Amino acid sequence: MPSETHAMLATLARVAALRRTCLFSGRGGGRGLWTGRPQSDMNNIKPLEGVKILDLTRILAGPFATMNLGDLGAEVIKVERPGVGDDTRTWGPPFVGTESTYYLSVNRNKKSIAVNIKDPKGVKIIKELAAVCDVFVENYVPGKLSAMGLGYEDIDKIAPHIIYCSITDGEPVRPGVAMTDLATGLYAYGAIMAGLIQKYKTGKGLFIDCNLLSSQVACLSHIAANYLIVRKEAKRWGTAHGSIVPYQAFKTKDGYIVVGAGNNQQFATVCKILDLPELIDDSKYKTNHLRVQNRKELIKILSERFEEELTSKWLHLFEGSGVPYGPINNMKNVFAEPQVLHNSLIMEMEHPTVGKISVPGPAVRYSKFKMSEARPPPLLGQHTMHILKEVLRYDDGAIGELLSAGVVAQHETH
């Protein structure tokens, strides 16, 4: 082993040991998930307080995963390219000031360090950070980080405790929200949580492979089962359901309403609300199987009736009926919805350059603690000096040399 490599590994081992003395230990000599804080302070402890996430992701799936971890109290250190940063910083319009709303939507509760990982000194910084972090998340093209010396095998040598999650990302699709990216982010988020529990039990890290293809196939659910079990290929149903009728969007006088009747009782209720009681005992529609067989004729009858009244009237008539229903909302209506407001799904925060911004809040709430207080998505390199000084204990001289050489960059606020 070359002497410089040996010296670097020794340095990283010392850094990791220093962090372990400052943090916490779990069973089996591994680094665990509990800080041993006094019982009196346990009422609002976040489950991931004290956990450090080294985040080398960009675009959507990875940042969405790490944002969810940050909401649970983890310290997320986002690594970005100096001068450029996460690709989505430029994805607009819309922008607010110089910040893209796309970037702002999935990067709250993070710190940003701008590091050139094409420079060996930048690679050294990433390895040092990995040694003091619990989780390493990346979504580079497969093999890219390994070529730089930052693959799982490389990190495992200097940080055997690390949970290394690799997400094979892709470009978001044009129609609507890129649900496959978001689903992959959620799978990664859950897998990292499982990895942290595994590390607490065994004292050892592991590699997690998440990719968009697997997420997409896994989420095919009953559509996939239809094929695997009875070789039934899926068809395009628009807003409708292949196995349940009626279960779709219907045009009203001024918009649309979605209604689903999953059983005979619900179908009878729909018929009564629509003032079409004769359909209840019609031999063509008495069971769901028959309703699916006679879909075209039944949907024509229901559609004509729905178009006769305003959406608001239908919503009033269906309220309390026990039938699944709802309007198709635009964004304005979504965020005026009382239940959306009650569930705190609008998260406000003060951004350092553009002032107050709002983004969608966390989907899950917990009885014993509140989510982390929302901190705005970081400016590119906003926390570079802080991370080098406070996390890695670099002195001012070493930081100055890295800044001068362009290995790292610090955002200057004006």
Side-chain angles (χ1 to χ4, degrees):
M1 179 183 291
S3 59
E4 62 269 22
T5 303
H6 187 276
M8 179 180 175
L9 291 175
T11 300
L12 292 170
R14 285 196 299 274
V15 171
L18 171 66
R19 284 293 299 164
R20 279 195 286 273
T21 60
C22 298
L23 279 173
F24 37 83
S25 61
R27 289 182 286 181
R31 295 170 68 228
L33 302 181
W34 280 264
T35 60
R37 63 177 65 217
Q39 188 67 30
S40 60
D41 195 25
M42 294 290 282
N43 289 338
N44 192 38
I45 183 173
K46 312 288 189 295
L48 296 188
E49 275 186 35
V51 172
K52 276 186 163 55
I53 313 289
L54 185 57
D55 180 6
L56 274 75
T57 70
R58 63 262 188 249
I59 314 294
L60 186 58
F64 187 60
T66 55
M67 180 181 73
N68 277 284
L69 296 167
D71 284 341
L72 294 178
E75 180 181 358
V76 180
I77 298 172
K78 184 178 178 74
V79 178
E80 300 188 76
R81 292 175 291 168
V84 180
D86 189 314
D87 298 2
T88 61
R89 287 183 180 275
T90 63
W91 285 13
F95 291 94
V96 53
T98 58
E99 304 296 316
S100 83
T101 59
Y102 195 123
Y103 171 80
L104 294 175
S105 71
V106 287
N107 284 287
R108 66 171 172 267
N109 290 337
K110 300 179 186 180
K111 296 174 181 175
S112 171
I113 178 171
V115 182
N116 178 9
I117 63 172
K118 293 182 179 178
D119 188 304
K121 292 178 182 176
V123 171
K124 178 174 178 285
I125 290 171
I126 300 303
K127 288 186 173 180
E128 289 175 347
L129 285 170
V132 299
C133 286
D134 301 276
V135 179
F136 186 116
V137 193
E138 63 88 11
N139 62 352
Y140 280 75
V141 172
K144 182 85 169 183
L145 286 186
S146 293
M148 296 179 178
L150 293 174
Y152 175 64
E153 296 77 11
D154 306 295
I155 300 301
D156 184 49
K157 289 175 185 173
I158 52 143
H161 64 273
I162 206 79
I163 293 156
Y164 190 115
C165 181
S166 181
I167 303 171
T168 308
D169 206 348
E171 298 290 314
V173 294
R174 271 185 297 160
V177 176
M179 286 307 300
T180 302
D181 289 66
L182 295 174
T184 306
L186 288 172
Y187 273 117
Y189 160 63
I192 289 167
M193 297 289 279
L196 286 167
I197 295 170
Q198 175 79 348
K199 189 182 78 160
Y200 170 68
K201 290 181 175 179
T202 68
K204 296 181 179 179
L206 74 164
F207 179 77
I208 297 168
D209 174 22
C210 292
N211 61 80
L212 272 69
L213 174 64
S214 296
S215 299
Q216 193 168 42
V217 172
C219 286
L220 288 173
S221 183
H222 64 282
I223 301 299
N226 288 347
Y227 173 76
L228 293 173
I229 296 169
V230 296
R231 293 296 185 262
K232 180 181 177 182
E233 283 284 359
K235 295 181 180 179
R236 294 175 183 265
W237 293 107
T239 65
H241 196 294
S243 305
I244 306 172
V245 175
Y247 201 111
Q248 66 181 72
F250 291 95
K251 194 173 188 311
T252 67
K253 206 170 189 177
D254 63 340
Y256 290 87
I257 184 172
V258 178
V259 174
N263 56 48
N264 293 337
Q265 183 179 345
Q266 289 180 345
F267 176 65
T269 301
V270 170
C271 294
K272 290 173 186 174
I273 291 172
L274 295 180
D275 196 22
L276 296 170
E278 65 276 10
L279 297 180
I280 298 173
D281 296 318
D282 192 309
S283 60
K284 296 192 297 290
Y285 313 128
K286 284 185 73 69
T287 68
N288 180 68
H289 185 70
L290 289 167
R291 292 192 287 274
V292 171
Q293 284 185 341
N294 298 291
R295 173 194 301 266
K296 189 173 181 180
E297 182 182 347
L298 176 57
I299 294 304
K300 183 176 185 294
I301 296 168
L302 299 180
S303 296
E304 289 174 353
R305 178 71 182 105
F306 272 112
E307 281 201 70
E308 293 175 6
E309 305 290 351
L310 298 173
T311 302
S312 56
K313 180 169 182 181
W314 290 126
L315 295 177
H316 174 71
L317 291 172
F318 273 93
E319 186 173 356
S321 66
V323 174
Y325 75 99
I328 295 183
N329 287 324
N330 58 22
M331 289 298 105
K332 181 179 180 181
N333 291 334
V334 168
F335 291 105
E337 175 65 39
Q339 194 64 36
V340 168
L341 298 173
H342 175 73
N343 288 352
S344 302
L345 288 170
I346 301 175
M347 182 169 271
E348 293 185 343
M349 57 194 85
E350 235 5 91
H351 190 276
T353 62
V354 298
K356 183 176 286 188
I357 61 170
S358 297
V359 295
V364 180
R365 293 178 294 168
Y366 301 85
S367 63
K368 294 292 178 70
F369 68 92
K370 293 181 179 177
M371 289 291 199
S372 297
E373 182 179 350
R375 287 180 287 109
L379 301 169
L380 173 57
Q382 181 179 343
H383 305 96
T384 297
M385 293 178 66
H386 167 82
I387 292 168
L388 292 175
K389 186 176 289 189
E390 301 301 326
V391 178
L392 296 182
R393 309 296 191 204
Y394 277 35
D395 60 34
D396 290 341
I399 294 173
E401 289 178 12
L402 291 168
L403 288 168
S404 298
V407 177
V408 301
Q410 169 69 35
H411 188 280
E412 299 297 333
T413 53
H414 301 289

